[in-house]
Amino acid sequence: MSKAIGMIEFKTVAAGITAADQMVKTANVEIIEAQTVCPGKYIALISGDLSAVKAAVERAELTRPDELIDSFVLGNPDESIFPAIYGSSQIDEVNALGILETYDAASIIVAADIAAKTAIVKLIELRIAKGMCGKSYMLITGEVAACEAAIEKAKASVGEKGMYLDSSVIAHPDAQICKSIL
């Protein structure tokens, strides 16, 4: 059984809850997180067998297509995604700080997975649309070149859907900045 995650993001709460309901009725998946995010959008993140997650996300996409913002299925997500989502990543030192910001919630998780698999970097945080008017961002650390490579690859992926907003890599960020993000 392959490990997979999937996500749907809808413009309205009613559409999102309806789609999330269809997801769990369609396949044997578990809701990891389902909630309203700024500005009144709705996201649902699920896990399960790859084929089940695909079927559930496909069904959700068809439920209310006019309100769908974005969705994804990741067949083998990087394990560091979950601690970054929940703010429990264990980071000892920040050599360089990579930042990528998106217009939506779903694309930041895909971008984080790509970044983590592109270079030797650690995910610090994934802020998913909470308190950000629907935008999201990720923070990564590693060597400067690794952060640059990871951010560029993630940026290209997000840009394909038109969800890229901004990014930056800071070499040796000041201790006050590191303290504020860790």
Side-chain angles (χ1 to χ4, degrees), residues 61-134:
E61 292 168 341
L62 297 173
T63 301
R64 302 275 294 265
D66 292 341
E67 286 87 19
L68 180 68
I69 295 171
D70 202 358
S71 65
F72 71 80
V73 173
L74 291 175
N76 188 23
D78 190 86
E79 292 180 13
S80 64
I81 285 176
F82 294 103
I85 288 173
Y86 298 114
S88 61
S89 297
Q90 299 297 315
I91 307 295
D92 297 323
E93 113 180 75
V94 178
N95 295 322
L97 179 63
I99 308 144
L100 183 107
E101 191 172 351
T102 65
Y103 285 111
D104 73 335
S107 66
I108 201 66
I109 297 174
V110 174
D113 186 59
I114 289 169
K117 292 175 179 175
T118 295
I120 300 172
V121 295
K122 293 180 181 177
L123 296 174
I124 299 172
E125 180 181 5
L126 289 178
R127 178 71 55 95
I128 304 173
K130 294 175 188 166
M132 298 205 29
C133 293

Side-chain angles (χ1 to χ4, degrees), residues 115 118-119 144-154 169:
T118 295
V144 175
C147 285
E148 288 173 343
I151 292 292
E152 280 305 310
K153 184 84 172 201
V169 175

Side-chain angles (χ1 to χ4, degrees), residues 93-95 97 172-182:
E93 113 180 75
V94 178
N95 295 322
L97 179 63
H172 310 291
D174 188 273
Q176 292 180 72
I177 295 297
C178 293
K179 183 179 178 185
S180 74
I181 63 171
L182 296 180

